[in-house]
Amino acid sequence: MQDSETLTGWPSEGADEERPAGSREKGLNRVLNMLEFLHANQRAIGIGELAKGLNAPRSTTYTLVRELVEAGLLEMAGDGNRVYFGKKLYLYGMAYMRGNDLLRRGRQEVDTLSRETGETSELCMLQSGRYTIVHSSPGTRPFRISSATGLQIPLPWTASGRLLLAGLDRSQIEAMVTQDDLVLPDGRKLELDDFIDDIARARVTGYCVTSGLVDAYTKCLAAPVFSAPGKVEATMCLVVPIDTSAERTGELLPLLRERAARLSTS
């Protein structure tokens, strides 16, 4: 079967009708891995590339994709042989945001903070061991700072990562951070001990500021949002140019911490 095959060339439904009961869990794991793979790549993926990336049989991948397309969870894109998230997942996501009090209020706080400061503002959470932007509002600067909702970044690259791991012990942190995570985009490598020290310092100060980690042009200010005493559920962030003065940073931090505290559960 060639990668150029389209929906009409997929295996017939009968090829997978008699699926052993013991394979259901494996099939579910493959579906979840497929969704994670698409999310990590942030683009439509060819069926052959998807099967290779998942290290799964191509026939099984075609069957799962067909079923997910029919369910509306995935959609075919481009030439009919690439696949990406479907409208139903978007609707599920919207329903989740309406039902999640923190996200609903957090979006409002982020948008308000961005309007008031003119800076790019974000609401971030821990997802699948990665710092994840769940909502972003661009600033008003002529030079726009890149900040995409859904973007996932290794925790050591961010100010938020140092807050999201606050409260975990060393063994828990080591279990979540790989050696690759410690390598910054410019090739520099952070020391794990230094990262753990940063986490402890952020926990004490109640905020974190990092400069030039993800790129050479930005500084990130982050404050924790608590769901319970000592439990960081999310962070609010401001992403500003790296040459932002200490005076301006000193003006933004109290405002950021106040807004994050308003989101926190008392």
Side-chain angles (χ1 to χ4, degrees), residues 59 76 100 111 137 140 187 201 214:
S59 60
M76 304 310 298
N100 186 291
D111 292 344
S137 182
T140 58
R201 189 159 39 249
V214 173

Side-chain angles (χ1 to χ4, degrees), residues 69-103:
V69 167
E70 291 173 352
L73 299 176
L74 297 181
E75 291 181 359
M76 304 310 298
D79 58 6
N81 194 49
R82 289 181 295 132
V83 66
Y84 202 51
F85 296 124
K87 298 181 185 67
K88 190 169 286 187
L89 285 178
Y90 171 77
L91 296 175
Y92 289 161
M94 293 298 292
Y96 175 73
M97 283 194 291
R98 287 193 296 270
N100 186 291
D101 181 65
L102 174 58
L103 278 182

Side-chain angles (χ1 to χ4, degrees), residues 80-150:
N81 194 49
R82 289 181 295 132
V83 66
Y84 202 51
F85 296 124
K87 298 181 185 67
K88 190 169 286 187
L89 285 178
Y90 171 77
L91 296 175
Y92 289 161
M94 293 298 292
Y96 175 73
M97 283 194 291
R98 287 193 296 270
N100 186 291
D101 181 65
L102 174 58
L103 278 182
R104 185 173 62 253
R105 293 188 297 117
R107 286 165 58 89
Q108 295 171 353
E109 290 288 357
V110 163
D111 292 344
T112 300
L113 184 62
S114 182
R115 286 195 301 270
E116 290 179 351
T117 63
E119 308 290 356
T120 296
S121 180
E122 300 172 349
L123 180 69
C124 306
M125 293 182 172
L126 185 64
Q127 174 65 35
S128 300
R130 289 287 187 271
Y131 153 95
T132 304
I133 302 173
V134 296
H135 183 63
S136 175
S137 182
T140 58
R141 293 178 180 274
F143 171 70
R144 291 296 181 90
I145 292 172
S146 176
S147 177
T149 298

Side-chain angles (χ1 to χ4, degrees), residues 223-244:
V225 176
F226 295 95
S227 60
K231 179 173 174 54
V232 180
E233 184 72 17
T235 61
M236 280 190 69
C237 312
L238 286 170
V239 186
V240 301
I242 198 167
D243 59 359
T244 299

